[in-house]
Structure formats: structure tokens, C-alpha cells
């Protein structure tokens, strides 16, 4: 546990616990961080290289750089979370637009962010990473944008799905278009109602969606009480999948950032 007692917005303290496990050694495309009253988790989209051929930067570079810029901007309470994300996307785009042909394909990432504002917790979710709101009454609410899942379930080919990335009628994530931030799911809840909140990449929620190991409630409780056991359980279940049911990536980067006030 890390006790963070410095705030760029309001006084107070938050306990943050980071759980992360890379799918391949030295190639973690997830990014997570806490700064003041803001926490973020980004999941770099590991799409085939041909769909990001216009950029020579890695997916990890993009997700880590965008996370840093988002944390800094979201610490300003005068900005909404979508405004902070749009400005962060623009800043990262400007870092490499003169070196890369971004229209020919560039790295991208899903984004989840939360920010404490006085007695409320704001959230932002862009694409299929999730926020788990664990309420004091024991209920757990999962917030995720599942538009990409509907497209995949409809058996679209990879080029067709790629054509729907950041396009009307498709799905949205952070890439080089700042307008993607306007497509994020946003909201807020009273902080007093929460026992904890988890920001999780889909490498964690595949325990719900693909492997059937957990419900949102049991996943949240396990992250609070036995997070390392969750990773062991997750990786074992991935290895045990029938080859015919295995996803394109048997293992995925798995990141969970848990906050308690």
C-alpha cells in the first residue's frame, strides 16, 4: 500500500494499491498512475502492426506518455475529465505528428480515470477497460463501454473492425483524435457511498467476460482481499483454455489500480 497525502486539488488522503502483470516480459502496454486526486489506467491496444504502420512509436510509449499527460491535466479542477483527455491526446499527437504519418495508422489505448472532487468521485471510461464502484452496501457497479465487443461478436473481419475505430457508428478509444474524448462515458457518485473503486484493464475483466471465473462483485472483493491470488487464478485459467476457444492473445497485460479513502 502507498499512502498518498498530497493533492493538486483538495486535501485528504487516498490509499492506492497497484496490481499489474505483463503478458510478455518487458512488453507491458498497460499504464497506471495516481497524482493528487486523480488516478488513471490505460490499456494500449495491441492491434496488428499493419494497422499502426504510419507510426514508429510503440504501443507502450503511447499509453505511458498519454497517461502522464492525462494525470497532469486532470489535476486541474477547472478542466472536466473529457477536456483533460482531449488536451492530453492533442499534446501526445503533437509530440510525434511531424515524425509519423498518423493517418496511416497509429497506436491507441483505452482509458479509465477517476478524480475526487470534494465529496464526489468523478469517472471517465473510454472503450472496454472498466471502473468497478464497490459500494458500502456490498453492491458493485461496473462501468465499461462495450461497443467494441458488439462489433467483434458480429464476426467482422479485422480490417472491417479497424475501419470502425474512432468512426461514427463504430467504437472509440484514445489515438490521435482529441474528439474521441467526447465519446467517453462519464459520471460521478458520492464518495461516502463507496468502500473502494478499481480501475481495471480488460486483461483483468476477462476473468468475468471470457473465463467465467468471477462476477463484478466477486472480482472486486478478490482485488480487495487476495489480489495476487487473482492473478494466479487468471493465468492458470488462460493456460487451461481449450485451443479452439483461445483468444488471439492467450495472455493479456493485466492491471488493476485500487483506491480507498
Amino acid at each position: 500500500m502507498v499512502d498518498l497525502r498530497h493533492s493538486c486539488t483538495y486535501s485528504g488522503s487516498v490509499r492506492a494499491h497497484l496490481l499489474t502483470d505483463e503478458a510478455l516480459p518487458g512488453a507491458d502496454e498497460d499504464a497506471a498512475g495516481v497524482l493528487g486526486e486523480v488516478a488513471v489506467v490505460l490499456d494500449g491496444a495491441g492491434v496488428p502492426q499493419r494497422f499502426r504502420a504510419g507510426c514508429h512509436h510503440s504501443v507502450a510509449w503511447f499509453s505511458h506518455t498519454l497517461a502522464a499527460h492525462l494525470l497532469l491535466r486532470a489535476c486541474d479542477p477547472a478542466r472536466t475529465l473529457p477536456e483533460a483527455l482531449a488536451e492530453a491526446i492533442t499534446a501526445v499527437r503533437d509530440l510525434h505528428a511531424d515524425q509519423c504519418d498518423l493517418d496511416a495508422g497509429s497506436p491507441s489505448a483505452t482509458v479509465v480515470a477517476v478524480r475526487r472532487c470534494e465529496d464526489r468521485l468523478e469517472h471517465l471510461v473510454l472503450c472496454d477497460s472498466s471502473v468497478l464502484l464497490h459500494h458500502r452496501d456490498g453492491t458493485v457497479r461496473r462501468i465499461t463501454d462495450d461497443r467494441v465487443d458488439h462489433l467483434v461478436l458480429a464476426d467482422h473481419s479485422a480490417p472491417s473492425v479497424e475501419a470502425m475505430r474512432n468512426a461514427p457508428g463504430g467504437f472509440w478509444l484514445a489515438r490521435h483524435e482529441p474528439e474521441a474524448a467526447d465519446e467517453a462515458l462519464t459520471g460521478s457518485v458520492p464518495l461516502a457511498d463507496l468502500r473502494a473503486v478499481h480501475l481495471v484493464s480488460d486483461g483483468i475483466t476477462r476473468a468475468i467476460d471470457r473465463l467465467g471465473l468471477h462476477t463484478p462483485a466477486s472480482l472486486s472483493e478478490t482485488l480487495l482481499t487476495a489480489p495476487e491470488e487473482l492473478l494466479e487464478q487468471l493465468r492458470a485459467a488462460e493456460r487451461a483454455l481449450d485451443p479452439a476457444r483461445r483468444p488471439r492473445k492467450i495472455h493479456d497485460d493485466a492491471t488493476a489500480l485500487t483506491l480507498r479513502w
Side-chain angles (χ1 to χ4, degrees), residues 2-235:
V2 179
D3 196 0
L4 299 169
R5 299 185 179 276
H6 300 285
S7 168
C8 60
T9 310
Y10 304 104
S11 61
S13 65
V14 58
R15 286 194 173 273
H17 181 269
L18 176 62
L19 176 76
T20 187
D21 187 58
E22 55 194 12
L24 297 173
D28 193 348
E29 295 175 345
D30 287 356
V34 178
L35 183 62
E37 304 289 358
V38 181
V40 303
V41 166
L42 279 68
D43 180 357
V47 298
Q49 176 62 37
R50 67 183 183 278
F51 295 129
R52 47 187 175 86
C55 178
H56 67 266
H57 293 88
S58 68
V59 174
W61 173 87
F62 178 80
S63 61
H64 294 186
T65 305
L66 183 60
H69 281 269
L70 176 56
L71 280 168
L72 287 171
R73 285 162 176 78
C75 274
D76 180 358
R79 294 182 172 99
T80 66
L81 288 178
E83 288 170 345
L85 178 57
E87 291 180 20
I89 291 171
T90 299
V92 176
R93 180 196 66 194
D94 292 346
L95 287 176
H96 66 136
D98 60 342
Q99 311 166 39
C100 307
D101 181 6
L102 302 183
D103 290 334
S106 64
S108 56
T110 71
V111 180
V112 290
V114 298
R115 178 173 65 184
R116 188 180 76 157
C117 287
E118 297 181 343
D119 61 349
R120 299 191 68 83
L121 186 75
E122 300 177 334
H123 61 262
L124 175 147
V125 178
L126 184 63
C127 207
D128 60 353
S129 290
S130 300
V131 170
L132 301 178
L133 299 174
H134 193 129
H135 293 269
R136 294 192 182 278
D137 64 3
T139 60
V140 175
R141 177 186 172 201
R142 178 184 177 186
I143 303 170
T144 190
D145 181 351
D146 61 358
R147 279 176 283 188
V148 64
D149 296 325
H150 293 308
L151 292 172
V152 173
L153 290 173
D155 291 328
H156 287 284
S157 66
S160 296
V161 171
E162 185 59 27
M164 297 179 184
R165 189 184 301 266
N166 287 11
F171 64 100
W172 295 81
L173 38 59
R175 197 167 56 173
H176 54 272
E177 305 97 337
E179 60 269 24
D182 293 330
E183 298 291 330
L185 306 179
T186 59
S188 70
V189 295
L191 197 62
D193 290 352
L194 296 176
R195 178 185 175 196
V197 61
H198 310 282
L199 289 72
V200 293
S201 67
D202 69 345
I204 292 287
T205 54
R206 61 168 41 188
I208 301 171
D209 303 323
R210 187 177 294 275
L211 301 172
L213 299 173
H214 284 283
T215 64
S218 67
L219 179 64
S220 178
E221 188 64 33
T222 305
L223 285 169
L224 288 172
T225 59
E228 290 77 13
E229 292 179 18
L230 172 65
L231 274 182
E232 294 173 5
Q233 182 186 42
L234 178 66
R235 296 311 190 202

